[in-house]
Amino acid sequence: MKTVPLMLSLLFFQSIYSFEEDKVESIPDYSYNGTLFSGYLNVSEVKKFHYMFNFAEEDHENKPLVLWLNGGPGCSSIDGWANEHGPMYLDDEGKFHINNYSWVKSANMLYLESPGDVGFSYINSTDKEDLYIDDNTTAVDNLNAILDFFRKFPDWKDNDFYITGESYGGTYVPILAYKVLEYNKGVEDSKKINLKGIIVGNGLADWKYDYKPAIMDFVFTHHIISYETRLKYVKYCLKNATYDKTKCDDLQNSIFNFLEGINKYDYLRECKMPPNLKGENGVNSGYYQRAPWAFERSEKTKEELREIKVTEEEEGSQVTPCFDDTKFEAFFNRPDVQKALHVTAKRTWYVCSGPVYDRYNHTRKGSVWAYPYLIEAKLRILLYAGDTDIMVPYNGNQMWIKNLNLNIVEPWRSWRAYDDKNNIAVAVCLKIRYFFCQLFRGHHAALYLQSDHVVGILNIFQDPCAFFEPDLFGLLFGDILRTFLVGHLNYIQFCIC
């Protein structure tokens, strides 16, 4: 059974049902006392998406509602809840600690596990049409999940609503925002979604720039490959008179092979691997060879990649190179934790799902096409990027943003916080409602809490909105990013475009 478009798929959800049944009373070994709901949203007759919803810590009735989507494709948004900006974060020993920079201090946070079969979400069907996933079906399913959320939580329908995400969320988020705008055109005012803006971190939006061209430029400008290799890339891979596909493929593959063992999500930091991945830095593991989409060798198809031998334990998971998922998977696969979260799916939870990733159909259209519609609708847009990420480098974002041909109201300028050489260096170009932030020493999951990013600045930056021009920054995003900036202010290069 195919998921039918938008409203038609929701005709069977006629009654508004209580959200109290999803209220989480407590979670084992998790001491946060704020209000949390966890349960399922109806996407279609066969698709159920798991969600977690935290009330803002103060004045939650009037705070905005923020949806968070992790990328992959195939990665769970619970990773964002437990690892980036949720109320608590999980340390290397598998213990939770209060996150002083959580977004729940400023917003009601909704985490959605998407698409179907990611995390605790599930598809109760073996029909090929139901199991088919691409960028469009994911956006339609996510919209249906949002509509069902507002049926379950009708009091939040009028709150300002933001859609946020990272990595492949750079495709999910703008397309979903576009779908919301299209949905709003066809319904009466009382049923419209109060979408105000989007936030995307290290996001893939344009395959032409965010993919291999950006990676090749990044690894050269960061001294990872030689000048001679760069000259060969320009000669054989750029579309000019000397372009040679065979030589280009060979060259790119040799570069990707050279990058094995380097932390592609943060090239300055150690490559940590789960204990079940053997070999030096895990690079000899079969699963490491089945690397994420950006590093699949061009001569290898998905079918060939599947033939690479992996252990039975690794088969169900999309192990992230240089990232130890085991502490998260150990916690969320505990029966008492799943019971507390009202999980009904009988499945093993993984940070990222290998099977979902394998069957995801990349159209490679990206999401850059949606931005003119979002800008025309006067949505607030923030793009941020950690500058040590090789997977989706910031320079690719910069290239496609430039091609949007936005008017620059104020030329690029730089300054330092309080004239302190140890604090933020900021460069600003300006166009109201559209931002690009480059996070100095931030990696692929740039919001991941790291003590070296926050130590020593808490007393200095109590009010980051006052640090910027309050009428500009505060007007556009107010408290949503205030908490984020408190934790990362001295590591941001700030560009408003």
Side-chain angles (χ1 to χ4, degrees):
M1 176 182 292
K2 187 177 181 180
T3 302
V4 292
L6 307 182
M7 292 297 294
L8 293 180
S9 66
L10 293 164
L11 290 178
F12 64 97
F13 306 128
Q14 294 297 325
S15 61
I16 295 177
Y17 44 93
S18 171
F19 55 77
E20 290 298 331
E21 62 190 15
D22 289 348
K23 189 172 183 179
V24 175
E25 299 301 330
S26 65
I27 302 175
D29 299 320
Y30 186 86
S31 60
Y32 180 74
N33 294 321
T35 303
L36 171 66
F37 297 86
S38 174
Y40 287 88
L41 299 172
N42 293 308
V43 172
S44 73
E45 292 178 327
V46 298
K47 296 182 181 180
K48 314 294 180 185
F49 282 9
H50 177 250
Y51 79 95
M52 296 178 70
F53 176 42
N54 272 108
F55 281 6
E57 291 184 349
E58 297 180 0
D59 193 25
H60 64 268
E61 298 93 343
N62 299 309
K63 290 292 175 68
L65 172 65
V66 176
L67 170 67
W68 175 262
L69 298 169
N70 273 82
C75 295
S76 168
S77 297
I78 292 181
D79 181 42
W81 182 82
N83 196 34
E84 298 185 66
H85 39 60
M88 303 187 78
Y89 67 94
L90 200 59
D91 68 14
D92 289 339
E93 303 301 319
K95 297 180 180 179
F96 277 99
H97 302 272
I98 292 294
N99 182 356
N100 293 321
Y101 314 107
S102 170
W103 281 10
V104 300
K105 295 183 180 297
S106 303
N108 300 289
M109 292 299 301
L110 172 61
Y111 297 86
L112 182 67
E113 294 196 285
S114 170
D117 287 334
V118 169
F120 295 128
S121 297
Y122 63 92
I123 303 174
N124 188 23
S125 173
T126 57
D127 189 295
K128 288 185 178 180
E129 288 189 345
D130 290 327
L131 297 176
Y132 179 88
I133 44 176
D134 62 16
D135 297 339
N136 183 67
T137 64
T138 299
V140 170
D141 286 348
N142 288 341
L143 176 55
N144 284 340
I146 292 169
L147 293 172
D148 197 46
F149 174 84
F150 287 126
R151 285 169 172 79
K152 182 172 283 199
F153 295 89
D155 291 343
W156 270 258
K157 184 175 65 66
D158 295 327
N159 291 52
D160 289 351
F161 180 55
Y162 291 84
I163 303 171
T164 68
E166 69 186 9
S167 188
Y168 204 81
T171 297
Y172 293 158
V173 170
I175 299 178
L176 175 56
Y178 172 79
K179 295 287 187 183
V180 169
L181 294 176
E182 290 298 296
Y183 163 81
N184 282 347
K185 291 178 182 179
V187 298
E188 58 192 61
D189 288 348
S190 64
K191 295 182 180 179
K192 292 183 188 298
I193 296 172
N194 191 23
L195 180 63
K196 294 297 184 180
I198 67 169
I199 304 172
V200 175
N202 287 81
L204 172 66
D206 190 336
W207 287 81
K208 181 179 178 181
Y209 295 109
D210 288 327
Y211 187 41
K212 290 180 181 179
I215 293 171
M216 295 303 164
D217 283 341
F218 184 95
V219 295
F220 170 66
T221 56
H222 289 74
H223 313 292
I224 298 173
I225 63 172
S226 69
Y227 180 67
E228 290 75 19
T229 301
R230 170 64 180 173
L231 289 179
K232 291 180 181 178
Y233 175 77
V234 171
K235 180 178 181 179
Y236 297 128
C237 297
L238 300 186
K239 298 291 185 177
N240 53 36
T242 58
Y243 171 75
D244 187 311
K245 184 180 185 307
T246 300
K247 291 183 178 179
C248 177
D249 287 346
D250 290 343
L251 178 64
Q252 289 182 147
N253 293 336
S254 68
I255 293 172
F256 291 160
N257 289 331
F258 178 74
L259 291 174
E260 289 182 353
I262 294 176
N263 188 337
K264 300 175 182 65
Y265 297 95
D266 184 352
Y267 82 98
L268 292 179
R269 292 179 176 86
E270 179 186 358
C271 180
K272 297 181 179 180
M273 297 299 292
N276 59 327
L277 299 185
K278 306 301 182 182
E280 183 181 358
N281 286 334
V283 298
N284 295 325
S285 153
Y287 210 103
Y288 192 97
Q289 304 302 321
R290 285 175 61 169
W293 53 265
F295 292 93
E296 289 177 359
R297 304 338 184 234
S298 59
E299 78 273 13
K300 290 184 179 179
T301 65
K302 279 189 175 182
E303 288 70 27
E304 290 173 316
L305 288 168
R306 291 191 191 102
E307 295 303 315
I308 295 175
K309 292 184 179 180
V310 297
T311 67
E312 183 177 350
E313 181 179 2
E314 295 167 341
E315 180 62 41
S317 171
Q318 167 92 18
V319 175
T320 305
C322 302
F323 181 76
D324 188 352
D325 300 338
T326 54
K327 59 183 179 181
F328 302 99
E329 292 170 358
F331 182 80
F332 289 106
N333 282 309
R334 286 173 52 175
D336 56 346
V337 171
Q338 294 186 9
K339 182 179 179 180
L341 296 177
H342 310 129
V343 170
T344 59
K346 304 299 182 183
R347 61 194 306 127
T348 301
W349 185 91
Y350 295 107
V351 171
C352 295
S353 167
V356 171
Y357 173 81
D358 285 343
R359 76 169 193 262
Y360 198 97
N361 292 275
H362 294 287
T363 62
R364 301 211 173 191
K365 185 179 179 182
S367 63
V368 67
W369 59 267
Y371 277 91
Y373 297 97
L374 310 187
I375 294 169
E376 182 181 7
K378 294 182 169 51
L379 296 185
R380 301 168 185 175
I381 301 172
L382 170 69
L383 309 178
Y384 64 86
D387 71 355
T388 68
D389 177 28
I390 300 178
M391 291 296 297
V392 187
Y394 69 87
N395 51 311
N397 285 186
Q398 289 176 330
M399 285 188 281
W400 66 256
I401 290 171
K402 181 180 180 181
N403 283 350
L404 292 176
N405 295 316
L406 299 172
N407 294 325
I408 296 177
V409 177
E410 183 177 337
W412 189 270
R413 61 183 173 86
S414 64
W415 50 280
R416 288 184 183 271
Y418 303 106
D419 297 320
D420 186 340
K421 292 182 179 180
N422 293 320
N423 282 322
I424 178 175
V426 182
V428 180
C429 61
L430 172 62
K431 187 181 190 301
I432 297 300
R433 291 185 178 273
Y434 198 84
F435 292 78
F436 175 73
C437 297
Q438 180 181 323
L439 282 86
F440 182 51
R441 297 180 187 173
H443 54 66
H444 183 70
L447 298 186
Y448 177 70
L449 184 70
Q450 298 183 49
S451 59
D452 61 333
H453 280 204
V454 298
V455 163
I457 63 171
L458 301 185
N459 295 327
I460 300 174
F461 302 114
Q462 293 299 314
D463 189 357
C465 288
F467 184 68
F468 295 100
E469 300 156 69
D471 290 341
L472 171 66
F473 190 83
L475 175 65
L476 295 186
F477 287 99
D479 284 341
I480 291 180
L481 293 177
R482 182 188 304 269
T483 305
F484 161 64
L485 287 175
V486 165
H488 298 79
L489 196 54
N490 68 338
Y491 289 93
I492 287 180
Q493 294 179 343
F494 195 72
C495 177
I496 307 170
C497 301

